[in-house]
Amino acid sequence: MTLKIFTTSRQIRRWLEGIDNSFLDKHYTIGEFLKKIVVVDNKKFIDEDLRKKYLFEAVKNVDLKKLGISDNFVDFFYDSDFIFSFFNEMFLERANIDNIILNDVYLDYEAHLAILKEILNNYKALLEKDGYIDRFLIEDFRINKGLLEGIKEIELKLDGYLSRFDIEVLEKIELPIKIYFNVDKFNKSLIEKSLQISLKENKRYIYDFKNKK
């Protein structure tokens, strides 16, 4: 059986419309796949609502006004999306906040980054105390091999590009992986950077991830 991974649910619906439903390959969006395939031993992934309560606890002694964020719980509940988005983007590209602070490009934001670092450390400590982990705090992980039982190969229909974390996960999977994508002037440099290959615009590609061809 082939495991098909799509970037969006819309791609899955489009694929399902055009095939015989008598036999279906296994399929996920890339977000669903990453949640199921990544395992962090001895940790529970925190759910969406609970994580905001932990984050609010983590900012109690932090000057949020410097970030333009209210310390009122109701307002913070919505504003917290900004903080989570920042941490998630940093995680996906495996960026270290200390390196960002030291980067000349971000000197004007040094105070803001220092506050975000304090929040991140507080949040991580609170989660560790109760045995939780957030996805953007993943460091070491293993692959859920049970999810891949009966799978001969993986086909990834890419619409966009792969983050460094995506690549890290794929590299740990011991199966043939083919990545299907179209290249245009908007995504060319992003895909080239993530896959470390040279591409031509207005072309369709099938990339053999394991053999780098």
Side-chain angles (χ1 to χ4, degrees), residues 114-125:
I115 293 171
L116 287 165
K117 179 183 177 181
E118 182 180 358
I119 294 171
L120 181 63
N121 290 338
N122 292 347
Y123 181 67
K124 183 178 180 180

Side-chain angles (χ1 to χ4, degrees), residues 101 103-113:
I101 291 172
N103 192 317
D104 290 344
V105 175
Y106 298 99
L107 279 178
D108 291 341
Y109 302 98
E110 185 175 357
H112 295 81
L113 290 168

Side-chain angles (χ1 to χ4, degrees), residues 5-21:
I5 303 174
F6 298 85
T7 308
T8 65
S9 297
R10 177 184 290 182
Q11 285 179 318
I12 293 179
R13 289 195 296 270
R14 196 176 300 153
W15 171 63
L16 290 174
E17 288 171 358
I19 63 171
D20 180 2
N21 288 332

Side-chain angles (χ1 to χ4, degrees), residues 48-90:
E48 289 298 315
D49 291 332
L50 192 57
R51 72 201 295 242
K52 292 189 176 185
K53 293 179 181 177
Y54 272 83
L55 186 65
F56 187 69
E57 185 70 24
V59 302
K60 278 191 173 179
N61 297 314
V62 176
D63 189 356
L64 287 178
K65 292 179 181 177
K66 289 183 179 179
L67 295 177
I69 295 176
S70 171
D71 57 5
N72 174 273
F73 178 75
V74 176
D75 294 334
F76 178 81
F77 197 81
Y78 296 100
D79 291 341
S80 61
D81 288 341
F82 156 75
I83 297 175
F84 283 128
S85 294
F86 174 79
F87 291 153
N88 192 57
E89 288 299 317
M90 191 174 65

